[in-house]
Amino acid sequence: MNLVFERAEVERELGAATGEVLETMFFASIEEMARDRVEGGSGDRVGAMVAFHGACEGRLAISLDRGAVKGLAAGFFGEDAAEMGVDQCESVMGELANMVCGAMLSRLERKAIFCLEAPVAFAADADCGGWIEKDFALDDGLLHLAFSLSGAERAGPQ
Amino acid sequence: MAFDVMVVDDSPAMRRFIRRVIEVSGFTTGKYLEAGNGIEALAELDGNWVDVVLTDINMPVMDGEALVAEMRRRPHLRSVPVIVISTDATDARIDRLSELGAQGYVTKPFAPERLREEIERVLGVTPEGALVGATAGDKGGGDELSF
Protein backbone atom coordinates (compact mmCIF):
# COMPACT_ATOMS: atom_id res chain seq x y z
CA MET A 1 0.00 0.00 0.00
CA ASN A 2 1.41 3.39 -0.98
CA LEU A 3 -0.25 6.02 1.16
CA VAL A 4 -0.04 9.69 0.31
CA PHE A 5 -1.11 12.29 2.84
CA GLU A 6 -1.93 15.96 2.30
CA ARG A 7 -0.16 18.31 4.68
CA ALA A 8 -3.37 20.03 5.77
CA GLU A 9 -4.98 16.69 6.57
CA VAL A 10 -2.02 15.56 8.67
CA GLU A 11 -1.92 18.89 10.52
CA ARG A 12 -5.61 18.65 11.30
CA GLU A 13 -5.45 15.05 12.53
CA LEU A 14 -2.29 15.63 14.55
CA GLY A 15 -4.01 18.45 16.42
CA ALA A 16 -7.20 16.46 16.91
CA ALA A 17 -5.35 13.36 18.14
CA THR A 18 -3.25 15.41 20.57
CA GLY A 19 -6.31 17.07 22.06
CA GLU A 20 -8.19 13.80 22.35
CA VAL A 21 -5.32 11.98 24.08
CA LEU A 22 -4.55 14.76 26.55
CA GLU A 23 -8.18 15.32 27.49
CA THR A 24 -9.14 11.65 27.74
CA MET A 25 -6.10 10.05 29.35
CA PHE A 26 -4.38 12.94 31.11
CA PHE A 27 -7.37 15.14 32.01
CA ALA A 28 -5.55 18.15 30.54
CA SER A 29 -6.83 20.78 28.15
CA ILE A 30 -4.68 22.42 25.48
CA GLU A 31 -4.66 25.47 23.27
CA GLU A 32 -2.86 25.41 19.94
CA MET A 33 -0.25 28.13 19.58
CA ALA A 34 0.64 29.83 16.32
CA ARG A 35 4.26 29.01 15.57
CA ASP A 36 5.24 32.68 15.38
CA ARG A 37 3.91 33.18 18.93
CA VAL A 38 5.99 30.41 20.43
CA GLU A 39 8.80 31.55 22.68
CA GLY A 40 11.61 29.45 24.04
CA GLY A 41 10.74 27.19 26.98
CA SER A 42 12.50 26.88 30.29
CA GLY A 43 15.25 24.78 28.73
CA ASP A 44 14.61 21.85 31.06
CA ARG A 45 12.44 19.69 28.85
CA VAL A 46 11.60 16.01 28.55
CA GLY A 47 11.52 14.46 25.09
CA ALA A 48 10.12 11.22 23.65
CA MET A 49 10.02 9.83 20.15
CA VAL A 50 8.11 6.98 18.55
CA ALA A 51 8.90 5.57 15.11
CA PHE A 52 6.43 3.67 12.98
CA HIS A 53 6.42 1.52 9.87
CA GLY A 54 4.01 -0.61 7.93
CA ALA A 55 1.71 1.15 5.48
CA CYS A 56 4.06 4.14 5.74
CA GLU A 57 7.13 5.07 7.73
CA GLY A 58 7.97 8.00 9.92
CA ARG A 59 8.24 9.25 13.47
CA LEU A 60 6.67 11.56 16.00
CA ALA A 61 8.83 13.45 18.48
CA ILE A 62 7.40 15.42 21.37
CA SER A 63 8.87 17.52 24.15
CA LEU A 64 7.49 19.38 27.13
CA ASP A 65 8.76 21.45 30.05
CA ARG A 66 9.73 19.12 32.90
CA GLY A 67 7.42 20.82 35.39
CA ALA A 68 4.47 20.31 33.08
CA VAL A 69 5.45 16.66 32.53
CA LYS A 70 5.23 16.11 36.28
CA GLY A 71 1.72 17.50 36.19
CA LEU A 72 0.76 15.21 33.32
CA ALA A 73 2.29 12.20 35.02
CA ALA A 74 0.41 13.00 38.22
CA GLY A 75 -2.86 13.14 36.29
CA PHE A 76 -2.08 9.87 34.52
CA PHE A 77 -1.16 7.96 37.68
CA GLY A 78 -3.53 9.73 40.05
CA GLU A 79 -0.73 10.76 42.37
CA ASP A 80 0.94 13.92 43.59
CA ALA A 81 3.13 15.78 41.09
CA ALA A 82 5.89 16.12 43.65
CA GLU A 83 6.22 12.34 43.76
CA MET A 84 6.86 11.98 40.03
CA GLY A 85 10.47 11.00 39.35
CA VAL A 86 12.56 11.02 36.19
CA ASP A 87 11.57 7.49 35.17
CA GLN A 88 7.89 8.18 35.59
CA CYS A 89 8.13 11.43 33.65
CA GLU A 90 9.96 9.75 30.78
CA SER A 91 7.58 6.79 30.65
CA VAL A 92 4.55 9.05 30.62
CA MET A 93 6.02 11.12 27.79
CA GLY A 94 6.64 7.88 25.91
CA GLU A 95 3.03 6.87 26.40
CA LEU A 96 1.85 10.29 25.26
CA ALA A 97 3.92 10.06 22.08
CA ASN A 98 2.72 6.51 21.47
CA MET A 99 -0.95 7.35 21.89
CA VAL A 100 -0.87 10.56 19.85
CA CYS A 101 0.99 8.83 17.01
CA GLY A 102 -1.30 5.80 17.00
CA ALA A 103 -4.47 7.86 17.22
CA MET A 104 -3.34 10.16 14.41
CA LEU A 105 -2.37 7.32 12.06
CA SER A 106 -5.69 5.60 12.69
CA ARG A 107 -7.50 8.82 11.87
CA LEU A 108 -5.51 9.23 8.65
CA GLU A 109 -6.08 5.73 7.29
CA ARG A 110 -8.43 3.19 8.85
CA LYS A 111 -7.81 0.45 6.29
CA ALA A 112 -4.04 0.19 6.74
CA ILE A 113 -1.86 -1.60 9.27
CA PHE A 114 0.76 0.45 11.13
CA CYS A 115 3.36 -0.85 13.58
CA LEU A 116 4.59 1.50 16.27
CA GLU A 117 7.96 0.85 17.82
CA ALA A 118 8.59 1.31 21.53
CA PRO A 119 8.93 5.00 22.46
CA VAL A 120 12.41 6.23 23.32
CA ALA A 121 13.48 9.17 25.43
CA PHE A 122 15.68 11.78 23.80
CA ALA A 123 17.44 14.97 24.82
CA ALA A 124 14.83 17.62 24.18
CA ASP A 125 17.41 20.15 23.06
CA ALA A 126 18.46 17.84 20.22
CA ASP A 127 17.27 18.60 16.70
CA CYS A 128 13.82 17.06 16.40
CA GLY A 129 12.43 19.04 13.51
CA GLY A 130 9.83 17.47 11.29
CA TRP A 131 7.65 17.87 8.23
CA ILE A 132 4.91 19.22 10.45
CA GLU A 133 5.53 20.94 13.76
CA LYS A 134 2.93 22.07 16.23
CA ASP A 135 2.90 23.69 19.64
CA PHE A 136 0.21 23.46 22.27
CA ALA A 137 -0.05 25.43 25.49
CA LEU A 138 -0.90 23.42 28.59
CA ASP A 139 -1.64 25.03 31.94
CA ASP A 140 2.03 25.08 32.92
CA GLY A 141 4.11 24.41 29.83
CA LEU A 142 4.44 24.23 26.08
CA LEU A 143 4.10 20.91 24.27
CA HIS A 144 6.06 20.70 21.01
CA LEU A 145 5.32 18.02 18.41
CA ALA A 146 7.36 17.24 15.29
CA PHE A 147 5.93 14.71 12.84
CA SER A 148 7.91 13.26 9.95
CA LEU A 149 6.99 10.95 7.08
CA SER A 150 9.33 9.40 4.57
CA GLY A 151 9.45 11.66 1.52
CA ALA A 152 7.47 9.51 -0.87
CA GLU A 153 4.42 9.60 1.31
CA ARG A 154 4.00 13.34 1.62
CA ALA A 155 1.85 15.52 -0.56
CA GLY A 156 1.04 19.20 -0.67
CA PRO A 157 3.22 22.25 -0.02
CA GLN A 158 6.26 21.70 2.19
CA MET B 1 -17.12 -11.37 43.26
CA ALA B 2 -13.40 -11.20 42.51
CA PHE B 3 -11.93 -11.52 39.04
CA ASP B 4 -8.46 -12.74 38.18
CA VAL B 5 -6.89 -10.44 35.60
CA MET B 6 -3.73 -10.38 33.52
CA VAL B 7 -2.50 -7.17 31.87
CA VAL B 8 0.09 -7.53 29.10
CA ASP B 9 1.88 -4.37 28.02
CA ASP B 10 5.54 -3.50 27.61
CA SER B 11 4.92 -0.14 29.24
CA PRO B 12 4.92 -0.24 33.06
CA ALA B 13 3.18 3.14 32.99
CA MET B 14 0.29 1.79 30.93
CA ARG B 15 0.01 -1.33 33.10
CA ARG B 16 -0.22 0.91 36.12
CA PHE B 17 -2.86 3.10 34.44
CA ILE B 18 -4.98 0.09 33.47
CA ARG B 19 -4.81 -1.29 36.99
CA ARG B 20 -5.99 2.03 38.33
CA VAL B 21 -8.90 2.09 35.88
CA ILE B 22 -9.94 -1.43 36.89
CA GLU B 23 -9.84 -0.49 40.56
CA VAL B 24 -11.77 2.74 39.99
CA SER B 25 -14.32 0.79 37.95
CA GLY B 26 -15.30 -1.11 41.04
CA PHE B 27 -14.12 -4.53 39.88
CA THR B 28 -12.68 -6.55 42.71
CA THR B 29 -9.56 -8.30 41.54
CA GLY B 30 -8.26 -11.51 43.01
CA LYS B 31 -5.07 -12.32 41.20
CA TYR B 32 -3.70 -9.36 39.28
CA LEU B 33 -0.92 -10.54 36.97
CA GLU B 34 1.30 -8.45 34.73
CA ALA B 35 3.53 -9.32 31.78
CA GLY B 36 5.72 -7.22 29.49
CA ASN B 37 5.19 -9.30 26.34
CA GLY B 38 3.45 -12.38 24.98
CA ILE B 39 6.13 -14.85 26.04
CA GLU B 40 6.02 -13.65 29.64
CA ALA B 41 2.24 -13.80 29.56
CA LEU B 42 2.14 -17.39 28.30
CA ALA B 43 4.62 -18.44 30.99
CA GLU B 44 2.41 -16.91 33.68
CA LEU B 45 -0.77 -18.34 32.19
CA ASP B 46 0.63 -21.85 32.18
CA GLY B 47 0.49 -21.84 35.96
CA ASN B 48 -2.31 -19.39 36.67
CA TRP B 49 -5.94 -19.32 35.59
CA VAL B 50 -7.33 -15.84 34.91
CA ASP B 51 -10.83 -14.66 33.98
CA VAL B 52 -9.66 -12.18 31.39
CA VAL B 53 -6.47 -11.05 29.63
CA LEU B 54 -6.03 -7.40 28.63
CA THR B 55 -3.23 -7.02 26.09
CA ASP B 56 -1.46 -4.41 24.02
CA ILE B 57 -0.46 -5.22 20.41
CA ASN B 58 2.95 -3.68 19.75
CA MET B 59 5.37 -5.35 22.15
CA PRO B 60 8.88 -6.77 21.84
CA VAL B 61 9.65 -10.51 21.81
CA MET B 62 6.05 -11.60 21.19
CA ASP B 63 3.36 -9.12 20.20
CA GLY B 64 -0.33 -9.14 21.02
CA GLU B 65 -1.43 -10.77 17.77
CA ALA B 66 0.93 -13.70 18.31
CA LEU B 67 -0.21 -13.97 21.93
CA VAL B 68 -3.89 -14.21 20.98
CA ALA B 69 -3.11 -16.75 18.26
CA GLU B 70 -1.02 -18.86 20.64
CA MET B 71 -3.68 -18.75 23.35
CA ARG B 72 -6.24 -20.04 20.87
CA ARG B 73 -3.90 -22.92 19.96
CA ARG B 74 -3.43 -24.07 23.56
CA PRO B 75 -6.42 -26.05 24.86
CA HIS B 76 -6.17 -24.78 28.43
CA LEU B 77 -6.11 -21.14 27.31
CA ARG B 78 -8.54 -21.35 24.41
CA SER B 79 -11.54 -20.18 26.41
CA VAL B 80 -9.85 -17.34 28.29
CA PRO B 81 -11.35 -14.07 27.02
CA VAL B 82 -8.91 -11.52 25.58
CA ILE B 83 -9.51 -7.77 25.32
CA VAL B 84 -7.03 -5.85 23.18
CA ILE B 85 -6.07 -2.35 24.34
CA SER B 86 -4.23 -0.49 21.60
CA THR B 87 -3.62 2.87 19.99
CA ASP B 88 -4.33 1.17 16.66
CA ALA B 89 -7.92 1.98 15.77
CA THR B 90 -7.72 0.90 12.14
CA ASP B 91 -10.45 -1.38 10.83
CA ALA B 92 -7.78 -3.66 9.38
CA ARG B 93 -6.20 -4.30 12.78
CA ILE B 94 -9.49 -4.69 14.65
CA ASP B 95 -10.73 -7.18 12.04
CA ARG B 96 -7.47 -9.15 12.24
CA LEU B 97 -7.59 -9.43 16.05
CA SER B 98 -11.22 -10.46 15.91
CA GLU B 99 -10.39 -13.20 13.41
CA LEU B 100 -7.58 -14.39 15.67
CA GLY B 101 -10.02 -14.77 18.54
CA ALA B 102 -9.95 -11.58 20.63
CA GLN B 103 -13.37 -10.94 22.16
CA GLY B 104 -12.94 -7.25 22.91
CA TYR B 105 -11.08 -4.22 21.62
CA VAL B 106 -10.52 -0.86 23.32
CA THR B 107 -8.65 1.87 21.47
CA LYS B 108 -6.38 4.31 23.25
CA PRO B 109 -7.11 6.97 24.25
CA PHE B 110 -10.04 5.66 26.21
CA ALA B 111 -12.20 7.00 28.99
CA PRO B 112 -12.28 4.77 32.08
CA GLU B 113 -15.97 4.09 31.40
CA ARG B 114 -15.11 2.60 28.02
CA LEU B 115 -12.79 -0.02 29.51
CA ARG B 116 -15.31 -0.87 32.21
CA GLU B 117 -18.05 -1.36 29.62
CA GLU B 118 -15.86 -3.65 27.54
CA ILE B 119 -14.84 -5.77 30.55
CA GLU B 120 -18.51 -6.00 31.55
CA ARG B 121 -19.51 -7.03 28.05
CA VAL B 122 -16.82 -9.68 27.71
CA LEU B 123 -17.21 -11.12 31.22
CA GLY B 124 -20.98 -10.79 31.08
CA VAL B 125 -21.22 -9.26 34.54
CA THR B 126 -20.97 -5.83 36.13
CA PRO B 127 -18.56 -4.97 38.95
CA GLU B 128 -21.51 -5.48 41.28
CA GLY B 129 -21.98 -9.03 40.04
CA ALA B 130 -25.16 -8.45 38.04
CA LEU B 131 -25.50 -10.18 34.70
CA VAL B 132 -24.99 -7.72 31.85
CA GLY B 133 -28.25 -7.12 30.03
CA ALA B 134 -30.39 -8.75 32.73
CA THR B 135 -32.24 -5.52 33.39
CA ALA B 136 -31.24 -2.01 32.52
CA GLY B 137 -31.46 -0.96 36.15
CA ASP B 138 -29.12 -3.68 37.34
CA LYS B 139 -26.35 -3.00 34.88
CA GLY B 140 -24.65 -0.26 36.80
CA GLY B 141 -22.80 0.98 33.72
CA GLY B 142 -22.83 4.28 31.92
CA ASP B 143 -22.11 6.37 34.99
CA GLU B 144 -19.13 8.64 34.86
CA LEU B 145 -16.36 7.22 37.03
CA SER B 146 -14.83 9.37 39.72
CA PHE B 147 -11.21 9.30 38.64
Side-chain angles (χ1 to χ4, degrees):
Chain A
M1 186 179 288
N2 186 22
L3 299 176
V4 177
F5 298 119
E6 295 288 340
R7 182 185 182 93
E9 179 188 21
V10 176
E11 284 188 332
R12 183 178 64 246
E13 299 302 356
L14 179 58
T18 304
E20 182 187 15
V21 169
L22 282 165
E23 288 170 14
T24 307
M25 303 287 280
F26 295 87
F27 314 103
S29 58
I30 57 171
E31 178 189 356
E32 184 165 358
M33 304 286 288
R35 295 239 65 215
D36 57 3
R37 288 180 51 208
V38 174
E39 297 173 1
S42 65
D44 184 14
R45 297 173 67 81
V46 181
M49 183 174 67
V50 60
F52 59 90
H53 59 275
C56 60
E57 293 184 12
R59 68 170 197 185
L60 174 70
I62 66 172
S63 67
L64 179 62
D65 302 301
R66 185 171 300 277
V69 176
K70 287 188 174 185
L72 280 188
F76 192 72
F77 292 127
E79 296 181 6
D80 195 279
E83 297 174 6
M84 296 296 105
V86 173
D87 288 349
Q88 287 159 316
C89 288
E90 289 186 351
S91 65
V92 162
M93 282 296 281
E95 277 307 314
L96 177 58
N98 183 53
M99 285 190 279
V100 169
C101 190
M104 184 191 61
L105 292 172
S106 297
R107 285 168 173 267
L108 286 170
E109 178 52 66
R110 296 193 63 86
K111 301 293 182 190
I113 294 279
F114 301 100
C115 294
L116 274 62
E117 296 176 8
V120 294
F122 73 95
D125 57 353
D127 178 18
C128 64
W131 176 39
I132 291 171
E133 296 186 48
K134 277 186 173 291
D135 293 279
F136 295 95
L138 281 78
D139 285 345
D140 48 1
L142 192 69
L143 175 67
H144 179 72
L145 297 94
F147 179 73
S148 300
L149 275 176
S150 62
E153 289 138 351
R154 305 175 186 180
Q158 301 300 299
Chain B
M1 185 172 183
F3 297 96
D4 296 332
V5 179
M6 167 172 275
V7 176
V8 191
D9 197 307
D10 58 328
S11 164
M14 186 51 65
R15 296 201 301 265
R16 188 169 159 187
F17 181 84
I18 291 170
R19 179 170 197 160
R20 182 169 160 241
V21 170
I22 291 172
E23 290 170 353
V24 169
S25 296
F27 286 104
T28 304
T29 53
K31 273 183 293 192
Y32 183 89
L33 306 177
E34 294 187 356
N37 60 60
I39 292 290
E40 289 181 11
L42 290 169
E44 285 283 338
L45 289 169
D46 273 341
N48 292 284
W49 169 265
V50 296
D51 294 293
V52 64
V53 171
L54 311 178
T55 184
D56 187 18
I57 295 175
N58 292 311
M59 296 179 288
V61 186
M62 177 188 274
D63 65 21
E65 286 193 3
L67 171 62
V68 175
E70 187 58 32
M71 287 180 66
R72 295 301 167 251
R73 273 194 287 270
R74 298 188 182 192
H76 66 295
L77 298 177
R78 194 169 291 157
S79 63
V80 177
V82 178
I83 298 174
V84 176
I85 302 176
S86 173
T87 58
D88 193 335
T90 61
D91 296 336
R93 183 74 81 174
I94 294 170
D95 290 347
R96 183 188 289 188
L97 266 299
S98 177
E99 288 167 9
L100 286 170
Q103 282 92 337
Y105 202 108
V106 175
T107 56
K108 293 184 277 188
F110 60 85
E113 298 81 11
R114 172 75 187 102
L115 181 58
R116 178 177 73 178
E117 288 167 1
E118 195 67 348
I119 294 173
E120 285 181 357
R121 186 185 67 78
V122 168
L123 291 179
V125 292
T126 68
E128 297 78 23
L131 294 178
V132 171
T135 66
D138 292 339
K139 186 170 183 286
D143 303 329
E144 200 162 289
L145 299 178
S146 175
F147 206 60

PDB file of all heavy atoms in Angstrom, chain A residues 84-106:
ATOM      1  N   MET A  84       6.524  12.501  41.354  1.00  0.00           N
ATOM      2  CA  MET A  84       6.857  11.978  40.031  1.00  0.00           C
ATOM      3  C   MET A  84       8.351  12.123  39.754  1.00  0.00           C
ATOM      4  O   MET A  84       8.880  13.240  39.699  1.00  0.00           O
ATOM      5  CB  MET A  84       6.064  12.720  38.946  1.00  0.00           C
ATOM      6  CG  MET A  84       4.545  12.521  39.040  1.00  0.00           C
ATOM      7  SD  MET A  84       4.037  10.807  38.762  1.00  0.00           S
ATOM      8  CE  MET A  84       3.652  10.282  40.417  1.00  0.00           C
ATOM      9  N   GLY A  85       9.036  10.993  39.606  1.00  0.00           N
ATOM     10  CA  GLY A  85      10.469  11.001  39.350  1.00  0.00           C
ATOM     11  C   GLY A  85      10.802  11.009  37.874  1.00  0.00           C
ATOM     12  O   GLY A  85       9.916  11.048  37.012  1.00  0.00           O
ATOM     13  N   VAL A  86      12.098  10.956  37.581  1.00  0.00           N
ATOM     14  CA  VAL A  86      12.562  11.020  36.194  1.00  0.00           C
ATOM     15  C   VAL A  86      11.995   9.863  35.368  1.00  0.00           C
ATOM     16  O   VAL A  86      11.490  10.054  34.262  1.00  0.00           O
ATOM     17  CB  VAL A  86      14.114  10.994  36.150  1.00  0.00           C
ATOM     18  CG1 VAL A  86      14.606  10.875  34.710  1.00  0.00           C
ATOM     19  CG2 VAL A  86      14.679  12.257  36.792  1.00  0.00           C
ATOM     20  N   ASP A  87      12.064   8.655  35.920  1.00  0.00           N
ATOM     21  CA  ASP A  87      11.572   7.491  35.168  1.00  0.00           C
ATOM     22  C   ASP A  87      10.098   7.609  34.838  1.00  0.00           C
ATOM     23  O   ASP A  87       9.659   7.289  33.733  1.00  0.00           O
ATOM     24  CB  ASP A  87      11.821   6.207  35.970  1.00  0.00           C
ATOM     25  CG  ASP A  87      13.296   5.840  36.013  1.00  0.00           C
ATOM     26  OD1 ASP A  87      14.070   6.460  35.256  1.00  0.00           O
ATOM     27  OD2 ASP A  87      13.659   4.944  36.788  1.00  0.00           O
ATOM     28  N   GLN A  88       9.327   8.050  35.824  1.00  0.00           N
ATOM     29  CA  GLN A  88       7.890   8.177  35.589  1.00  0.00           C
ATOM     30  C   GLN A  88       7.599   9.257  34.557  1.00  0.00           C
ATOM     31  O   GLN A  88       6.725   9.088  33.703  1.00  0.00           O
ATOM     32  CB  GLN A  88       7.177   8.466  36.905  1.00  0.00           C
ATOM     33  CG  GLN A  88       7.107   7.244  37.805  1.00  0.00           C
ATOM     34  CD  GLN A  88       6.879   7.610  39.245  1.00  0.00           C
ATOM     35  OE1 GLN A  88       7.493   8.539  39.764  1.00  0.00           O
ATOM     36  NE2 GLN A  88       5.999   6.871  39.896  1.00  0.00           N
ATOM     37  N   CYS A  89       8.339  10.356  34.626  1.00  0.00           N
ATOM     38  CA  CYS A  89       8.129  11.430  33.648  1.00  0.00           C
ATOM     39  C   CYS A  89       8.463  10.943  32.235  1.00  0.00           C
ATOM     40  O   CYS A  89       7.720  11.200  31.279  1.00  0.00           O
ATOM     41  CB  CYS A  89       8.991  12.646  34.008  1.00  0.00           C
ATOM     42  SG  CYS A  89       8.396  13.537  35.461  1.00  0.00           S
ATOM     43  N   GLU A  90       9.573  10.222  32.107  1.00  0.00           N
ATOM     44  CA  GLU A  90       9.964   9.748  30.776  1.00  0.00           C
ATOM     45  C   GLU A  90       8.985   8.703  30.252  1.00  0.00           C
ATOM     46  O   GLU A  90       8.642   8.688  29.064  1.00  0.00           O
ATOM     47  CB  GLU A  90      11.391   9.192  30.820  1.00  0.00           C
ATOM     48  CG  GLU A  90      12.441  10.280  30.983  1.00  0.00           C
ATOM     49  CD  GLU A  90      13.865   9.740  30.871  1.00  0.00           C
ATOM     50  OE1 GLU A  90      14.027   8.503  30.841  1.00  0.00           O
ATOM     51  OE2 GLU A  90      14.791  10.564  30.827  1.00  0.00           O
ATOM     52  N   SER A  91       8.510   7.828  31.126  1.00  0.00           N
ATOM     53  CA  SER A  91       7.582   6.792  30.652  1.00  0.00           C
ATOM     54  C   SER A  91       6.250   7.393  30.261  1.00  0.00           C
ATOM     55  O   SER A  91       5.613   6.952  29.297  1.00  0.00           O
ATOM     56  CB  SER A  91       7.408   5.708  31.718  1.00  0.00           C
ATOM     57  OG  SER A  91       6.791   6.222  32.868  1.00  0.00           O
ATOM     58  N   VAL A  92       5.817   8.408  30.971  1.00  0.00           N
ATOM     59  CA  VAL A  92       4.547   9.054  30.618  1.00  0.00           C
ATOM     60  C   VAL A  92       4.680   9.812  29.297  1.00  0.00           C
ATOM     61  O   VAL A  92       3.764   9.793  28.468  1.00  0.00           O
ATOM     62  CB  VAL A  92       4.086   9.981  31.766  1.00  0.00           C
ATOM     63  CG1 VAL A  92       3.050  10.986  31.279  1.00  0.00           C
ATOM     64  CG2 VAL A  92       3.500   9.140  32.894  1.00  0.00           C
ATOM     65  N   MET A  93       5.820  10.448  29.086  1.00  0.00           N
ATOM     66  CA  MET A  93       6.024  11.120  27.789  1.00  0.00           C
ATOM     67  C   MET A  93       6.052  10.099  26.656  1.00  0.00           C
ATOM     68  O   MET A  93       5.545  10.350  25.557  1.00  0.00           O
ATOM     69  CB  MET A  93       7.319  11.926  27.817  1.00  0.00           C
ATOM     70  CG  MET A  93       7.187  13.243  28.569  1.00  0.00           C
ATOM     71  SD  MET A  93       6.020  14.396  27.806  1.00  0.00           S
ATOM     72  CE  MET A  93       7.021  15.052  26.474  1.00  0.00           C
ATOM     73  N   GLY A  94       6.647   8.936  26.919  1.00  0.00           N
ATOM     74  CA  GLY A  94       6.644   7.881  25.913  1.00  0.00           C
ATOM     75  C   GLY A  94       5.230   7.425  25.588  1.00  0.00           C
ATOM     76  O   GLY A  94       4.868   7.234  24.426  1.00  0.00           O
ATOM     77  N   GLU A  95       4.419   7.260  26.625  1.00  0.00           N
ATOM     78  CA  GLU A  95       3.025   6.866  26.400  1.00  0.00           C
ATOM     79  C   GLU A  95       2.265   7.942  25.630  1.00  0.00           C
ATOM     80  O   GLU A  95       1.436   7.638  24.772  1.00  0.00           O
ATOM     81  CB  GLU A  95       2.325   6.599  27.735  1.00  0.00           C
ATOM     82  CG  GLU A  95       2.572   5.218  28.278  1.00  0.00           C
ATOM     83  CD  GLU A  95       2.257   4.133  27.256  1.00  0.00           C
ATOM     84  OE1 GLU A  95       1.196   4.203  26.609  1.00  0.00           O
ATOM     85  OE2 GLU A  95       3.083   3.237  27.085  1.00  0.00           O
ATOM     86  N   LEU A  96       2.528   9.192  25.972  1.00  0.00           N
ATOM     87  CA  LEU A  96       1.847  10.285  25.264  1.00  0.00           C
ATOM     88  C   LEU A  96       2.208  10.260  23.778  1.00  0.00           C
ATOM     89  O   LEU A  96       1.322  10.349  22.908  1.00  0.00           O
ATOM     90  CB  LEU A  96       2.232  11.630  25.896  1.00  0.00           C
ATOM     91  CG  LEU A  96       1.674  12.888  25.225  1.00  0.00           C
ATOM     92  CD1 LEU A  96       0.157  12.858  25.177  1.00  0.00           C
ATOM     93  CD2 LEU A  96       2.153  14.145  25.969  1.00  0.00           C
ATOM     94  N   ALA A  97       3.495  10.114  23.486  1.00  0.00           N
ATOM     95  CA  ALA A  97       3.923  10.059  22.081  1.00  0.00           C
ATOM     96  C   ALA A  97       3.289   8.865  21.373  1.00  0.00           C
ATOM     97  O   ALA A  97       2.802   8.961  20.246  1.00  0.00           O
ATOM     98  CB  ALA A  97       5.453   9.974  22.007  1.00  0.00           C
ATOM     99  N   ASN A  98       3.286   7.738  22.042  1.00  0.00           N
ATOM    100  CA  ASN A  98       2.718   6.506  21.474  1.00  0.00           C
ATOM    101  C   ASN A  98       1.231   6.682  21.153  1.00  0.00           C
ATOM    102  O   ASN A  98       0.763   6.333  20.063  1.00  0.00           O
ATOM    103  CB  ASN A  98       2.929   5.383  22.489  1.00  0.00           C
ATOM    104  CG  ASN A  98       2.448   4.045  21.973  1.00  0.00           C
ATOM    105  OD1 ASN A  98       2.831   3.628  20.890  1.00  0.00           O
ATOM    106  ND2 ASN A  98       1.619   3.380  22.748  1.00  0.00           N
ATOM    107  N   MET A  99       0.496   7.228  22.092  1.00  0.00           N
ATOM    108  CA  MET A  99      -0.948   7.351  21.893  1.00  0.00           C
ATOM    109  C   MET A  99      -1.299   8.402  20.844  1.00  0.00           C
ATOM    110  O   MET A  99      -2.199   8.204  20.028  1.00  0.00           O
ATOM    111  CB  MET A  99      -1.638   7.669  23.223  1.00  0.00           C
ATOM    112  CG  MET A  99      -1.716   6.463  24.134  1.00  0.00           C
ATOM    113  SD  MET A  99      -2.759   6.738  25.577  1.00  0.00           S
ATOM    114  CE  MET A  99      -1.618   7.608  26.637  1.00  0.00           C
ATOM    115  N   VAL A 100      -0.581   9.527  20.853  1.00  0.00           N
ATOM    116  CA  VAL A 100      -0.871  10.562  19.850  1.00  0.00           C
ATOM    117  C   VAL A 100      -0.554  10.024  18.455  1.00  0.00           C
ATOM    118  O   VAL A 100      -1.340  10.187  17.506  1.00  0.00           O
ATOM    119  CB  VAL A 100      -0.058  11.844  20.131  1.00  0.00           C
ATOM    120  CG1 VAL A 100      -0.158  12.816  18.949  1.00  0.00           C
ATOM    121  CG2 VAL A 100      -0.545  12.515  21.407  1.00  0.00           C
ATOM    122  N   CYS A 101       0.591   9.357  18.322  1.00  0.00           N
ATOM    123  CA  CYS A 101       0.986   8.834  17.014  1.00  0.00           C
ATOM    124  C   CYS A 101      -0.018   7.782  16.523  1.00  0.00           C
ATOM    125  O   CYS A 101      -0.487   7.811  15.385  1.00  0.00           O
ATOM    126  CB  CYS A 101       2.391   8.241  17.102  1.00  0.00           C
ATOM    127  SG  CYS A 101       3.091   7.814  15.507  1.00  0.00           S
ATOM    128  N   GLY A 102      -0.365   6.856  17.398  1.00  0.00           N
ATOM    129  CA  GLY A 102      -1.303   5.803  17.002  1.00  0.00           C
ATOM    130  C   GLY A 102      -2.667   6.350  16.665  1.00  0.00           C
ATOM    131  O   GLY A 102      -3.298   5.933  15.674  1.00  0.00           O
ATOM    132  N   ALA A 103      -3.143   7.279  17.467  1.00  0.00           N
ATOM    133  CA  ALA A 103      -4.466   7.855  17.215  1.00  0.00           C
ATOM    134  C   ALA A 103      -4.469   8.647  15.912  1.00  0.00           C
ATOM    135  O   ALA A 103      -5.429   8.586  15.133  1.00  0.00           O
ATOM    136  CB  ALA A 103      -4.864   8.755  18.392  1.00  0.00           C
ATOM    137  N   MET A 104      -3.387   9.370  15.646  1.00  0.00           N
ATOM    138  CA  MET A 104      -3.336  10.155  14.413  1.00  0.00           C
ATOM    139  C   MET A 104      -3.293   9.254  13.183  1.00  0.00           C
ATOM    140  O   MET A 104      -4.020   9.492  12.204  1.00  0.00           O
ATOM    141  CB  MET A 104      -2.116  11.063  14.423  1.00  0.00           C
ATOM    142  CG  MET A 104      -2.067  11.966  13.205  1.00  0.00           C
ATOM    143  SD  MET A 104      -0.501  12.793  13.042  1.00  0.00           S
ATOM    144  CE  MET A 104       0.572  11.426  12.885  1.00  0.00           C
ATOM    145  N   LEU A 105      -2.471   8.217  13.213  1.00  0.00           N
ATOM    146  CA  LEU A 105      -2.375   7.321  12.057  1.00  0.00           C
ATOM    147  C   LEU A 105      -3.705   6.614  11.795  1.00  0.00           C
ATOM    148  O   LEU A 105      -4.109   6.436  10.643  1.00  0.00           O
ATOM    149  CB  LEU A 105      -1.258   6.296  12.279  1.00  0.00           C
ATOM    150  CG  LEU A 105       0.161   6.865  12.301  1.00  0.00           C
ATOM    151  CD1 LEU A 105       1.161   5.783  12.714  1.00  0.00           C
ATOM    152  CD2 LEU A 105       0.551   7.447  10.950  1.00  0.00           C
ATOM    153  N   SER A 106      -4.382   6.243  12.870  1.00  0.00           N
ATOM    154  CA  SER A 106      -5.687   5.595  12.691  1.00  0.00           C
ATOM    155  C   SER A 106      -6.699   6.553  12.094  1.00  0.00           C
ATOM    156  O   SER A 106      -7.581   6.156  11.322  1.00  0.00           O
ATOM    157  CB  SER A 106      -6.197   5.075  14.034  1.00  0.00           C
ATOM    158  OG  SER A 106      -5.327   4.094  14.551  1.00  0.00           O
TER     159      SER A 106
END
